[in-house]
Amino acid sequence: MRRFLFVLVLVLVLVRPSPARAQGVGWTLVNWKVRHDFPDVKRITAKETAARLQDKNIPQPLLLDVRTKAEYDISHIPGATRIEPDSDASAVKIPHDRPIITYCSVGYRSGAFAKKLQETGYKNVQNMSGSIFEWANEGRPLEHDGKPVKKVHPYNAVWGKLLKAPLRADVPDAGKEM
């Protein structure tokens, strides 16, 4: 019931005519939901992630893209490794103390996967707040097949409204919730 109410409120907020207002309120609700459902998962911003990936003086994190192949094939953050959202944490084969940063479209699926990783003994896991939508909205680099691209899979028509319009790839609505 809570999930239904959350989705209903989010849909009502996002269909308002003002895109800036919808994004602001929408992000507030999304970030609240991620924090609420995964309170023990540490968060990192897109800006902090970018700085961390550029700093070669610290151990580089494994950047896990927790989206479907269709989403990843449109674009992803350079250097990311894709993993299916419903994968078992045992699919990750790295030392348990290596830093890991997870991301998806808005942070919910990656938050769930980060929680799985923590439950199986990974000690240094962070979920990127706002995930690839926030990354792209801030003008950070994206790639496909090693080449720069400008578009992101919008996940579906509702969630895609959190992504600036020029960044939304033209794909059929997947009809999914979160």
Side-chain angles (χ1 to χ4, degrees):
M1 182 66 169
R2 279 192 227 168
R3 184 177 181 144
F4 171 76
L5 289 174
F6 171 75
V7 171
L8 179 63
V9 168
L10 186 61
V11 168
L12 291 173
V13 168
L14 291 179
V15 293
R16 289 186 182 198
S18 168
R21 183 178 206 172
Q23 279 200 351
V25 174
W27 277 117
T28 299
L29 289 173
V30 168
N31 290 330
W32 175 86
K33 179 68 171 162
V34 173
R35 282 191 309 273
H36 176 269
D37 288 1
F38 313 110
D40 296 329
V41 173
K42 294 176 187 167
R43 291 171 297 284
I44 186 170
T45 66
K47 182 178 181 177
E48 292 166 332
T49 299
R52 184 124 184 236
L53 293 172
Q54 291 175 350
D55 188 347
K56 301 306 177 194
N57 295 317
I58 60 172
Q60 288 298 292
L62 172 63
L63 189 58
L64 283 181
D65 185 313
V66 188
R67 297 181 301 151
T68 64
K69 184 176 182 333
E71 292 171 283
Y72 185 86
D73 284 349
I74 298 290
S75 66
H76 53 274
I77 297 172
T81 300
R82 189 184 78 80
I83 190 158
E84 281 293 326
D86 61 353
S87 293
D88 189 74
S90 64
V92 176
K93 308 276 190 219
I94 63 168
H96 279 67
D97 60 346
R98 180 170 175 198
I100 299 173
I101 297 174
T102 60
Y103 76 89
C104 59
S105 295
V106 298
Y108 194 87
R109 292 175 290 170
S110 54
F113 195 75
K115 180 180 175 185
K116 284 184 194 179
L117 290 168
Q118 287 178 331
E119 289 171 346
T120 58
Y122 285 92
K123 299 176 186 347
N124 192 356
V125 181
Q126 294 175 296
N127 185 34
M128 186 168 44
S129 300
S131 286
I132 198 167
F133 284 11
E134 189 73 18
W135 180 273
N137 283 341
E138 292 176 358
R140 301 193 189 288
L142 301 165
E143 70 176 21
H144 171 69
D145 285 339
K147 296 180 180 126
V149 294
K150 301 275 185 206
K151 303 278 185 174
V152 175
H153 192 293
Y155 189 74
N156 67 23
V158 173
W159 294 106
K161 290 183 179 183
L162 293 171
L163 188 60
K164 292 177 181 175
L167 301 172
R168 293 181 210 141
D170 186 20
V171 296
D173 188 346
K176 297 178 182 179
E177 289 180 9
M178 264 193 292

